[in-house]
Amino acid sequence: MKEIISQEFGGERPLYHENDIFLKDVTIHVGESSVKECTNVKAEKSRFEGKYVFWCDENVFVEDCYFAVTARSSVWHTNNFNMKDCLVDAPKMFRECDGVNLRNVRMPDAEETFWSCQNIDIDGMEADKGDYIFMWCQNVKVRNLKLNGNYSFQHAKNVEIWDSDLQSKDSLWETENVTVYNSFINGEYLGWHSKNLKLVNCRIGGSQPLCYADGLVLENCTFEPDADLALEYSDVKATVLNEIPSIKNPRTGFVKAKGYGEIIIDENMKAPGNCEISTL
């Protein structure tokens, strides 16, 4: 493997089409497409300032590196990308990638990150300003995610989320086959128009959660005091360990809870209108 140590590069495509390279203490100054169309790349303790860094690459391993704000859109159309112990100030990371593995990564500006990616495995990630993160992604496993950003995971399919804190309104919209374990999901309009969404041991906060859902399952969940007007027009099987502030016109299935602040069943109920509501 060719070693490139303690060097600086800039401009357009300085390392274009290089294969089997090891970058250490390297700085990529402002420019674009610095490590494009490359295979088998390792980078350690390096700094990336130019945009479009890792485009159309295969087999990339990045550890203890920094991506500046100017390094926006740095990982697109790349397969088997691995990142560990990195700080990423750049927005719009990860588009159209297959095989992304992250460990202990901080993203203070995660806007529009992870679009149309598949086969993602994450353990330990902090993402702030993460509006529209994980849009159109498939086959995703996430553990220990701390997210502050709205519209997360919209249109995503085949997702597992564990032990995470999602401060995100309009999250999990129009998703399919998503399961969330041991997490806090806080934000209004959670999970609307989803299919086969399952929440296990989760805290749910925010107004009007889980409406228009098909195949919705809640196991041993709790509702925050602001999680009112829940489950409207949903097909649901729910066991809730505390009081639900209010539910409105659940379409079918069953809801079992410790109690209800209000149960609203009115003339706007949709067929079949046979949801069984009971107390634990």
Side-chain angles (χ1 to χ4, degrees):
M1 179 170 277
K2 178 181 177 181
E3 294 186 352
I4 302 174
I5 300 176
S6 300
Q7 296 189 41
E8 299 184 15
F9 300 91
E12 186 172 349
R13 298 187 178 189
L15 297 171
Y16 181 75
H17 220 291
E18 291 275 4
N19 298 314
D20 300 304
I21 57 174
F22 175 46
L23 311 178
K24 186 174 182 180
D25 294 315
V26 166
T27 298
I28 304 293
H29 292 296
V30 172
E32 63 180 69
S33 304
S34 54
V35 194
K36 186 176 182 180
E37 291 285 357
C38 297
T39 301
N40 301 330
V41 178
K42 291 185 178 180
E44 292 183 5
K45 300 183 184 301
S46 294
R47 179 183 177 91
F48 301 98
E49 299 172 356
K51 59 187 177 181
Y52 316 150
V53 180
F54 294 103
W55 274 51
C56 307
D57 292 340
E58 297 280 343
N59 304 328
V60 179
F61 296 84
V62 177
E63 184 173 357
D64 194 16
C65 291
Y66 175 63
F67 290 77
V69 173
T70 49
R72 61 189 301 110
S73 309
S74 276
V75 187
W76 288 27
H77 306 283
T78 286
N79 300 324
N80 190 24
F81 185 92
N82 303 270
M83 176 181 281
K84 181 181 179 182
D85 299 331
C86 291
L87 173 59
V88 180
D89 277 326
K92 299 187 178 181
M93 297 284 287
F94 304 112
R95 300 277 185 95
E96 303 283 351
C97 294
D98 187 348
V100 179
N101 298 279
L102 270 57
R103 298 292 182 271
N104 188 28
V105 173
R106 290 192 296 127
M107 295 186 175
D109 187 358
E111 180 186 11
E112 298 181 14
T113 289
F114 280 114
W115 279 17
S116 301
C117 294
Q118 60 182 337
N119 301 316
I120 300 167
D121 192 300
I122 295 173
D123 191 350
M125 182 170 118
E126 295 182 16
D128 198 12
K129 302 178 184 177
D131 286 358
Y132 296 104
I133 195 170
F134 296 108
M135 179 87 77
W136 300 300
C137 285
Q138 297 189 44
N139 305 327
V140 180
K141 291 185 178 180
V142 175
R143 295 172 295 280
N144 301 306
L145 167 63
K146 186 175 182 180
L147 170 65
N148 182 19
N150 299 320
Y151 325 114
S152 60
F153 293 96
Q154 289 195 357
H155 307 284
K157 295 182 180 180
N158 306 326
V159 177
E160 285 187 11
I161 302 170
W162 292 79
D163 305 313
S164 295
D165 185 336
L166 309 182
Q167 301 296 313
S168 180
K169 77 171 185 178
D170 288 353
S171 64
L172 302 173
W173 266 62
E174 299 188 69
T175 55
E176 188 171 343
N177 302 330
V178 173
T179 305
V180 185
Y181 299 92
N182 311 326
S183 297
F184 181 26
I185 312 174
N186 187 38
E188 55 194 7
Y189 317 128
L190 164 66
W192 282 37
H193 303 286
S194 58
K195 294 181 179 179
N196 302 327
L197 173 60
K198 184 177 182 180
L199 307 182
V200 181
N201 301 327
C202 289
R203 291 169 58 200
I204 298 164
S207 183
Q208 299 181 56
L210 305 167
C211 300
Y212 296 91
D214 286 327
L216 173 65
V217 175
L218 306 181
E219 293 183 0
N220 300 327
C221 292
T222 59
F223 277 58
E224 297 293 291
D226 63 345
D228 60 347
L229 302 173
L231 306 174
E232 186 173 23
Y233 301 143
S234 287
D235 161 22
V236 57
K237 296 178 179 177
T239 302
V240 178
L241 300 180
N242 67 343
E243 179 179 286
I244 302 176
S246 61
I247 62 174
K248 182 177 181 180
N249 290 338
R251 185 167 52 85
T252 190
F254 68 83
V255 181
K256 298 178 181 179
K258 186 175 180 180
Y260 305 88
E262 185 179 15
I263 299 173
I264 303 169
I265 305 295
D266 61 25
E267 69 278 7
N268 298 311
M269 169 64 77
K270 292 186 178 181
N274 59 0
C275 185
E276 299 179 4
I277 300 172
S278 61
T279 56
L280 294 174

